[in-house]
Amino acid sequence: MSKQESVRCIACGSGCTPYIDAIWDDRYGSPGTFSILKCDACGQMVTSPQLTEQDLPDLYSRYYPRREVDFTALRNEADLVLREGAAEKRHREGTDNQGHYLVKPGQKVLDIGCGSCVSLLEVRNLGGESWGVEADPNVRAIADHFSLNVHIGSIHDNPFPGLSFDLIVLNQVIEHVPDPPALLKLVRERLNPGGKVVLAFPNTGSLNRRVSGRKWINWHIPYHLHHYNSRSFSLIAEKAGYEVENIKSITPNLWTLLQLRAYGDEAAEGQASTAWTGSGPSVSEKASLAMRWKNRLASRATGLAHGLVGPVNRLADALGLGDSLLVVLRKS
Ligand SMILES: [Zn+2]
């Protein structure tokens, strides 16, 4: 405990003290018990003990699920962005918590942590030029199939040398990296004059976090290393040479449904959750009768919840209490 108490906040430098004593990977069952420390001054939180860059590849390759690649599904998903009313639909569903939707035609966009590359295809559909960086080597096949510019590795490798960007997006990335200020400073060097960095990440200032306590799905231990609120993130950004142009909270309706499902799910340390690792429509043929009934009840509750979560989420978002933050930064 005395070692934990010496941890300094990455946002303001104040001391951090224990906030949640014992928390573990309740999705994929990677081993280990962690704690969450909170800054007494600005509320920034950190997972303890901290994982290092060396720990991450093994952790992700052993425990993080990979979806099977379906090229047609990816293309169809990306083409939805061209439909009439697409932006309104994103707003209703809370899926507009992703920086690349802010692209303007003709802009050069870099998506760090581009995952399935749907965002790169969407940028292309919206008239921008897209580049991506992704650690997962399985993404190579997707990039090649769609002739996308993707660097498999890290932004620390200095990919696409000589290129700079009008928009750099980090969707659900900054909470996964060991040294966020270093990443922000590096990204700043790749901006065109007038360029912007847009980040999306979970909001510890959310209503859901307060209601859910240690069952909040966005603790996502041990993969999420740092946990931000709007104030603490602004401090970090300002120290890294940015001005915060805009900050708003958005709650994807899907997150709320997953949160509701997680309430009924209790995974011990080292044990994967059936709710998170089950494939397809949540119940396998091999599931026990009891499990099938449990899932059937859960999916009925989910159906009921569906009509309610949208309006509740949009209200929470308007009050700044949404479950993710979307932050627009420019060089100060
Ligand atoms: Zn602090």
Side-chain angles (χ1 to χ4, degrees):
M1 199 58 76
S2 61
K3 198 173 166 222
Q4 287 185 345
E5 275 162 3
S6 69
V7 170
R8 295 272 136 199
C9 169
I10 62 164
C12 75
S14 300
C16 296
T17 49
Y19 180 67
I20 295 178
D21 285 327
I23 190 164
W24 51 83
D25 181 3
D26 56 4
R27 294 194 197 183
Y28 311 128
S30 67
T33 297
F34 295 80
S35 62
I36 290 174
L37 312 179
K38 182 179 180 184
C39 170
D40 300 323
C42 75
Q44 174 72 14
M45 300 190 211
V46 61
T47 302
S48 174
Q50 275 281 280
L51 300 176
T52 67
E53 291 281 359
Q54 287 72 41
D55 298 325
L56 299 183
D58 184 55
L59 176 71
Y60 281 87
S61 64
R62 284 177 68 178
Y63 295 102
Y64 226 68
R66 300 189 193 287
R67 265 179 277 168
E68 275 182 42
V69 177
D70 177 341
F71 294 131
T72 310
L74 292 179
R75 183 186 294 277
N76 290 343
E77 192 183 339
D79 285 350
L80 292 177
V81 85
L82 297 169
R83 286 226 185 133
E84 189 151 354
E88 291 75 15
K89 187 167 186 286
R90 288 199 297 272
H91 176 71
R92 276 199 310 278
E93 297 178 349
T95 52
D96 49 353
N97 69 327
Q98 298 176 71
H100 65 281
Y101 292 126
L102 301 182
V103 64
K104 298 194 181 92
Q107 285 190 328
K108 287 184 161 67
V109 180
L110 174 65
D111 185 347
I112 299 173
C114 63
S116 69
C117 299
V118 167
S119 61
L120 304 185
L121 295 171
E122 288 179 320
V123 164
R124 206 191 246 178
N125 283 340
L126 291 168
E129 278 185 272
S130 53
W131 284 259
V133 174
E134 175 53 51
D136 182 352
N138 295 302
V139 171
R140 174 87 277 146
I142 304 173
D144 289 348
H145 180 86
F146 292 110
S147 305
L148 292 164
N149 308 302
V150 175
H151 169 74
I152 302 295
S154 156
I155 186 67
H156 294 275
D157 307 335
N158 192 30
F160 319 118
L163 266 184
S164 53
F165 303 91
D166 304 303
L167 185 64
I168 300 180
V169 305
L170 297 102
N171 294 325
Q172 316 301 331
V173 167
I174 199 75
E175 65 276 30
H176 290 262
V177 303
D179 190 349
L183 176 59
L184 287 173
K185 284 176 194 153
L186 191 66
V187 163
R188 192 178 176 279
E189 302 308 311
R190 303 301 299 265
L191 278 179
N192 279 335
K196 288 169 188 179
V197 179
V198 187
L199 304 102
F201 50 85
N203 176 21
T204 59
S206 78
L207 179 65
N208 181 17
R209 201 275 297 165
R210 286 165 221 214
V211 169
S212 304
R214 64 182 301 290
K215 293 213 101 175
W216 188 43
I217 56 170
N218 286 314
W219 294 125
H220 197 8
I221 299 301
Y223 311 94
H224 288 184
L225 308 179
H226 298 278
H227 313 272
Y228 311 88
N229 60 67
S230 57
R231 179 168 161 236
S232 67
F233 186 80
S234 299
L235 290 171
I236 294 167
E238 282 158 16
K239 273 205 291 192
Y242 293 94
E243 186 176 323
V244 177
E245 185 180 284
N246 190 264
I247 188 159
K248 63 178 173 181
S249 78
I250 301 173
T251 310
N253 294 355
L254 177 64
W255 289 16
T256 310
L257 299 177
L258 292 169
Q259 180 70 64
L260 291 169
R261 197 165 63 168
Y263 289 140
D265 205 56
E266 195 66 68
E269 190 243 310
Q271 190 183 55
S273 150
T274 50
W276 288 100
T277 53
S279 55
S282 79
V283 195
S284 86
E285 291 301 319
K286 286 182 211 126
S288 71
L289 189 63
M291 184 58 89
R292 266 182 282 172
W293 270 106
K294 189 181 160 210
N295 276 282
R296 196 171 299 175
L297 286 172
S299 67
R300 193 157 299 169
T302 300
L304 271 175
H306 223 302
L308 294 171
V309 296
V312 172
N313 283 345
R314 299 300 75 77
L315 180 62
D317 294 352
L319 296 170
L321 297 170
D323 223 16
S324 77
L325 291 172
L326 186 73
V327 184
V328 181
L329 304 177
R330 60 175 175 227
K331 282 189 195 181
S332 56

